[in-house]
Amino acid sequence: MPKPRRILAGLAAATVLAIALAGCSANASPAPGSSTEAGAPVTGGTLVYLEHQTHTGLYPPGAGFYPNGGIVNNIADRLVYQDPKTLEFEPWIASKWESNADATEYTFTIRDGVTFSDGTPLDAAVVAKNFDLYGLGDPARGLTVSEAINNYESSEVVDKNTVKFHFSAPSPGFLQATSTINSGLLSDKTLDLTFEKFGPGNAANIIGSGPFTVENEKIGTGLDLVARKDYKWAPKSWSNQGRPYLDRIQITVTPEASVRVGALLAGQAGLVRNVEAQDEPQVTGAGFEVFAPQTNGVNNGLSLRFRNEKLSDIRVRQALIAGIDRAELVKTIYTKNYPLATSVLSKTALGYVNTEDKFAYDPKKAETLLDEAGWKLGSNGIREKDGKPLTLVVNEAAPQPRSFDALTLVSQQLKKVGVDLQILKADAGTYAKAIQDADQVQIYHSMVGRADLDVIKSQFYSKNRNTLLNRDNSDQSIGDPKLEELLEAVASTADPKARIEASQTVQKYLADEAYVIPFFEEPQVFAAATYVHGFASESVGRPSFDGVWIDKK
Amino acid sequence: MRYVLGRLGQAAAVLLAAFTVAFILLQAMPGDAIMIKFENPELGLSPDQIAALRQAYGADTPLPAQYLHSLLGFLGGDFGYSIQSGTPVRQLLAEVVPGTLILAALGFVSAVILAVGITILANLPGLRRIADVFRSLPSLFVAVPVFWLGIVLIQVFSFQLRLIPVINPGPIEGLILPVLTLAVPISAPIAQILIRSVDDVLGYPFVAVVRARGADPWWILWRNVARNAVLPAFTMAGVLFGELIGGAVVTETVFGRAGVGRLTADAVTQQDTPILLAIVLLSATAFVVINLVVDLLYPVLDPRLGPRRRARVAAPRERKVVSV
């Protein structure tokens, strides 16, 4: 249940936010995701970067966790580079690539002269070894398969510069998968490490070919990224083609949000991650810049677990959608960096199609639908059917921004149409169990960022995140085989155009069946001091430090 | 000597019990670290993949075997690996224990100094009129949330006055605010008890006798009252260790310091059993040692609690020995 203190804080923050927004809505802000340039870049200097959480491991397939990804993105290169704006691909470690017509075979040509930071060459053999591990995993060493790689079978080293990958079924998402941090290329020796050795305390021994290396790790407090002076294989579109401008980035873990923002404003840090929505006005008001790169994937929102008895009636699901004022939610809890969702996918995601009309707010309609479905208003204002109240449970998505505040507001909105929405806040073990059971958690709050069409499959497919619990964990049965089929089509249609259509079919299907309630397009929010220039991020909002420079001291 | 050996035996039994109870409790909790880590939907692993990982981690080994394995490992100094991050628990502890020890020790010393200071101010002969102000300080200190205090100190001293950086401070600079944050709530109960015992002792007949013989208030306070009043506060200090750990969790989070407190908080959220077992044992050891030291020091502070022989020798010289 919401604690009064949190609500009060939320109200106070909302008021401040509203006043601040009203006051400065006329101010133009720089485009999110890239900082404004000023003069010629300066080489040298140390940037103090405040992280929200401590990293938990640098095994690339497990680097989805932001603190991990922020490091991996800067120490490991990828075969191909995906432009975070256009989402187009360009050469990086692979100078060219091709695949066969049904996307079951990919050939990459590896460029010459690239070395890992331990001096060993980056050649076809080591690339093959990387993907054998990421594509197949190694449970004996505790190393998992990369979620981004589907249907991987084997690799084949054709010659020193050519590597071929074979797939058991079409894998059209593979090219994009090679561009994600989950496919960061590591040295031969590093690939022999066990899961334990990828953990904190050993970060300096994770060897990649990226523009930075790790030094000075202090478990739980942070580490330094140190520039590789001989780095010269950046993707063509990067502003910086030589060594990184900065000498060093000092990553310092600062869990407390007010301390991160305060330290930035007081000049003790140059860049901070995870500026909370309620703190944004304070940062911009003091003349600092806020960057909010988009995560380009499945929007922050709710999955309605239709296999649960209460939600099995589509009218109840439609009523929930109609009963939630998403516009008020985004306006009250978030800022303009959190655009209102218009589909299950983000506008900037590949294959996006607008299904906004299915998510309209209409409390009258919600009440009618619930009446029709047999849920009659009880004496306490909560609807009932066969003596059972219409009580639903949603999880607090702790990693997502202000999840609890957002759900509290949604709960208040739904109360007006007679739905009792409870928020699950629990210890990790209880939580991990509860979210896998539709009888305990009927509505699942989450999002997933990945700039590929596969992202929608990652979120909803029975053998991936399975957020709808279409596959029941107790008996492994599938509730909606049609959804499964549609998702499989996205992941295994070789023709690019047909694949986009497959994704759009899923988006429409999810909206038509009222399986989802998307809230907003989730950004990663950073703030930087005015002396920091050239801030950029990869396609899911992890910082790229190669082109960052500072003009202070 | 036999007394000391007996106490050591007791200590060992307490530690074994703590280990066993912690092991059972952690097993009884819903879910486990492997589930939290790998069944997290964010990894997108299929049920088959999760099953393979569970097997690789030996999660299906019978509990008694797991217990025995952990116990033998602990006896040999091997605390296992963190399930969440894979780092050896010993390495994690080695990194954080010194920092927390320094923080806790300085915090405690400062708390004692603060408490003594408050007590003296509350009893200073010249300050009788405003003594009540000092007397109410402990209640105020106890009521201040550590979290809030830490943030206020940072806001004022680091962000407004810009005296001490909170990000990447020097080794000494970095301790000032956290130690202060920790010391304030810890000093409160000590000060409260000190003030109370001073009041008690001041009411004893022997004080009246000393006063009648012409001793000035300072002499009474220092020579007669202080030594008698310190004993209850000393007992309290042993108990306060637990609060010190609790305060460290918050302090370390607010100030972004690596430490046992933050390690514990993270391990609890992730149900990281090997870390939690090691921390339970570490805390139990610290508790046992501190209480042992306190018990062994009693006779030094108060001869009445020592072996009879010493008490009899000491009694005639010490005027303060008055039955309680």
Side-chain angles (χ1 to χ4, degrees):
Chain A
M1 285 309 294
K3 288 188 207 128
R5 192 171 52 79
R6 298 274 315 242
I7 300 175
L8 211 64
L11 276 176
T15 318
V16 171
L17 193 70
I19 294 168
L21 278 178
C24 64
S25 56
N27 287 0
S29 71
S34 69
S35 65
T36 44
E37 298 303 319
V42 180
T43 301
T46 298
L47 173 71
V48 176
Y49 169 45
L50 304 187
E51 236 307 335
H52 169 208
Q53 293 150 306
T54 173
H55 87 273
T56 57
L58 298 180
Y59 177 57
F65 184 55
Y66 266 85
N68 301 349
I71 298 168
V72 171
N73 189 39
N74 288 288
I75 64 171
D77 294 329
R78 268 47 63 76
L79 281 180
V80 300
Y81 176 67
Q82 185 178 31
D83 190 298
K85 288 271 149 50
T86 63
L87 303 184
E88 301 281 320
F89 300 104
E90 60 176 281
W92 195 349
I93 296 305
S95 52
K96 58 182 202 278
W97 56 86
E98 58 187 24
S99 60
N100 64 355
D102 60 354
T104 55
E105 209 180 280
Y106 285 78
T107 311
F108 291 87
T109 306
I110 310 300
R111 64 182 283 174
D112 273 316
V114 177
T115 57
F116 289 106
S117 57
D118 64 357
T120 55
L122 199 174
D123 55 18
V126 75
V127 171
K129 188 168 170 175
N130 269 278
F131 284 94
D132 284 348
L133 180 59
Y134 304 159
L136 301 171
D138 187 354
R141 285 192 277 152
L143 298 174
T144 56
V145 178
S146 166
E147 183 193 11
I149 302 177
N150 292 312
N151 309 325
Y152 187 88
E153 200 170 65
S154 64
S155 64
E156 178 191 344
V157 180
V158 180
D159 61 42
K160 191 174 140 297
N161 293 96
T162 316
V163 60
K164 223 176 211 180
F165 298 108
H166 301 279
F167 295 83
S168 58
S171 190
F174 182 67
L175 185 66
Q176 196 274 344
T178 68
S179 79
T180 63
I181 47 161
N182 305 100
S183 299
L185 298 171
L186 300 178
S187 79
D188 187 76
K189 257 205 193 130
T190 311
L191 294 172
D192 291 333
L193 298 177
T194 57
F195 165 73
E196 283 75 23
K197 291 289 173 193
F198 279 100
N202 202 36
N205 295 322
I206 307 303
I207 304 297
S209 64
F212 293 90
T213 57
V214 175
E215 244 181 43
N216 209 7
E217 180 187 9
K218 293 190 278 300
I219 297 180
T221 338
L223 51 76
D224 290 1
L225 293 176
V226 182
R228 260 189 86 177
K229 304 268 159 63
D230 58 347
Y231 189 80
K232 51 174 189 267
W233 40 85
K236 279 282 167 292
S237 64
W238 282 16
S239 60
N240 177 17
Q241 290 294 307
R243 60 152 282 187
Y245 295 130
L246 288 168
D247 286 335
R248 189 179 284 267
I249 294 131
Q250 212 172 344
I251 302 180
T252 302
V253 178
T254 313
E256 176 50 36
S258 68
V259 175
R260 279 198 306 281
V261 168
L264 177 75
L265 298 186
Q268 295 177 23
L271 182 69
V272 302
R273 182 177 83 84
N274 201 350
V275 177
E276 296 187 358
Q278 66 272 31
D279 291 334
E280 275 186 39
Q282 193 194 351
V283 173
T284 47
F288 289 75
E289 280 188 272
V290 169
F291 303 116
Q294 272 292 324
T295 48
N296 302 320
V298 172
N299 285 324
N300 183 306
L302 305 179
S303 298
L304 305 182
R305 294 177 157 173
F306 55 86
R307 297 195 65 184
N308 174 266
E309 204 191 319
K310 287 173 188 160
L311 295 184
S312 59
D313 187 336
I314 188 170
R315 288 171 299 190
V316 175
R317 300 197 299 269
Q318 285 168 335
L320 291 177
I321 293 174
I324 296 177
D325 186 349
R326 301 179 311 128
E328 185 199 20
L329 172 77
V330 171
K331 215 177 89 193
T332 314
I333 311 282
Y334 303 98
T335 68
K336 63 180 179 342
N337 290 318
Y338 301 71
L340 182 66
T342 51
S343 158
V344 62
L345 290 189
S346 161
K347 268 194 294 296
T348 52
L350 290 165
Y352 156 84
V353 63
N354 189 325
T355 57
E356 208 173 359
D357 53 330
K358 299 281 182 205
F359 305 121
Y361 173 56
D362 187 346
K364 285 256 152 46
K365 185 178 149 201
E367 288 177 38
T368 320
L369 282 165
L370 288 171
D371 284 338
E372 284 171 16
W375 292 95
K376 301 290 179 218
L377 219 45
S379 53
N380 58 353
I382 301 300
R383 286 170 189 274
E384 287 172 3
K385 188 171 159 182
D386 308 329
K388 275 192 247 160
L390 186 48
T391 296
L392 298 167
V393 179
V394 61
N395 63 306
E396 180 200 15
Q400 266 50 67
R402 304 195 75 182
S403 169
F404 191 85
D405 301 334
L407 295 174
T408 305
L409 182 62
V410 167
S411 172
Q412 289 162 4
Q413 291 175 347
L414 287 178
K415 191 141 219 172
K416 290 183 198 150
V417 295
V419 178
D420 174 29
L421 182 70
Q422 308 260 351
I423 304 170
L424 171 81
K425 222 171 152 61
D427 65 274
T430 310
Y431 181 91
K433 263 197 144 77
I435 58 171
Q436 302 288 358
D437 180 357
D439 287 335
Q440 290 185 59
V441 173
Q442 294 82 39
I443 303 180
Y444 187 66
H445 188 199
S446 67
M447 63 78 69
V448 46
R450 185 187 160 195
D452 187 72
L453 291 161
D454 272 359
V455 73
I456 200 164
K457 182 210 162 213
S458 282
Q459 176 80 339
F460 300 108
Y461 190 57
S462 63
K463 290 197 174 108
N464 295 122
R465 302 191 182 205
N466 194 26
T467 57
L468 288 165
L469 289 187
N470 192 13
R471 174 180 57 78
D472 188 320
N473 280 300
S474 58
D475 59 6
Q476 309 300 327
S477 64
I478 299 290
D480 183 349
K482 179 161 181 217
L483 177 64
E484 289 287 284
E485 236 170 74
L486 295 177
L487 291 168
E488 279 161 14
V490 177
S492 55
T493 304
D495 177 49
K497 255 183 112 177
R499 205 169 153 234
I500 288 177
E501 275 160 26
S503 165
Q504 296 183 335
T505 312
V506 177
Q507 293 170 56
K508 287 178 193 150
Y509 185 75
L510 290 169
D512 289 342
E513 293 293 319
Y515 283 168
V516 292
I517 310 176
F519 287 161
F520 59 85
E521 302 176 351
E522 189 167 319
Q524 269 298 306
V525 184
F526 298 84
T530 44
Y531 61 79
V532 177
H533 308 279
F535 178 79
S537 63
E538 49 82 85
S539 58
V540 193
R542 278 129 189 144
S544 299
F545 289 117
D546 184 77
V548 177
W549 55 281
I550 52 180
D551 60 1
K552 178 192 118 182
K553 276 168 261 172
Chain B
M1 199 62 217
R2 183 185 289 167
Y3 172 71
V4 175
L5 281 179
R7 287 300 308 263
L8 284 177
Q10 261 178 29
V14 167
L15 291 183
L16 181 67
F19 178 83
T20 310
V21 170
F23 186 88
I24 294 170
L25 285 179
L26 286 169
Q27 296 299 336
M29 282 174 75
D32 62 33
I34 302 172
M35 174 176 181
I36 293 167
K37 182 173 172 58
F38 293 112
E39 289 186 41
N40 180 349
E42 313 230 318
L43 277 178
L45 296 177
S46 71
D48 302 344
Q49 288 162 346
I50 292 169
L53 283 161
R54 284 197 79 86
Q55 204 177 2
Y57 270 85
D60 307 325
T61 319
L63 278 187
Q66 283 189 34
Y67 173 77
L68 215 62
H69 181 259
S70 313
L71 184 61
L72 290 177
F74 268 69
L75 289 176
D78 172 13
F79 301 148
Y81 296 88
S82 154
I83 294 175
Q84 183 64 25
S85 71
T87 312
V89 174
R90 203 156 67 168
Q91 187 187 352
L92 286 173
L93 287 178
E95 288 241 358
V96 299
V97 165
T100 301
L101 268 187
I102 293 174
L103 180 66
L106 288 178
F108 187 70
V109 170
S110 315
V112 170
I113 294 173
L114 207 57
V116 170
I118 293 172
T119 311
I120 291 176
L121 287 173
N123 284 289
L124 266 193
L127 292 177
R128 280 281 141 72
R129 277 195 206 159
I130 51 166
D132 279 348
V133 175
F134 298 112
R135 279 166 185 273
S136 53
L137 273 184
S139 323
L140 177 69
F141 283 5
V142 124
V144 168
V146 184
F147 190 75
W148 179 84
L149 180 66
I151 290 182
V152 166
L153 287 177
I154 291 177
Q155 287 291 346
V156 173
F157 290 102
S158 186
F159 297 162
Q160 298 300 321
L161 302 175
R162 307 203 173 185
L163 293 174
I164 306 165
V166 66
I167 304 302
N168 304 318
I172 295 171
E173 283 179 323
L175 278 167
I176 300 174
L177 295 181
V179 163
L180 203 57
T181 309
L182 198 55
V184 166
I186 304 281
S187 71
I190 305 182
Q192 216 151 21
I193 288 178
L194 266 179
I195 293 177
R196 180 86 196 268
S197 350
V198 167
D199 288 351
D200 283 352
V201 177
L202 279 174
Y204 289 155
F206 85 89
V207 176
V209 172
V210 179
R211 197 174 284 143
R213 288 168 73 179
D216 73 275
W218 273 101
W219 167 275
I220 296 175
L221 197 61
W222 192 244
R223 289 301 304 255
N224 303 117
V225 177
R227 280 194 74 180
N228 276 298
V230 86
L231 205 62
F234 194 63
T235 311
M236 188 68 191
V239 178
L240 276 177
F241 174 73
E243 202 152 313
L244 215 53
I245 295 184
V249 174
V250 178
T251 313
E252 284 164 358
T253 304
V254 172
F255 288 91
R257 289 175 61 88
V260 177
R262 232 171 93 192
L263 185 68
T264 312
D266 289 347
V268 167
T269 15
Q270 306 296 346
Q271 269 183 41
D272 208 328
T273 316
I275 299 184
L276 290 175
L277 277 178
I279 288 175
V280 166
L281 213 62
L282 188 76
S283 316
T285 311
F287 249 115
V288 165
V289 168
I290 287 178
N291 281 297
L292 192 62
V293 168
V294 168
D295 284 356
L296 293 178
L297 279 181
Y298 276 147
V300 179
L301 285 172
D302 188 340
R304 284 171 298 171
L305 296 170
R308 266 219 201 112
R309 185 177 43 82
R310 269 186 60 200
R312 229 180 293 134
V313 174
R317 283 198 295 129
E318 303 270 339
R319 266 177 305 184
K320 72 186 176 66
V321 179
V322 175
S323 60
V324 180

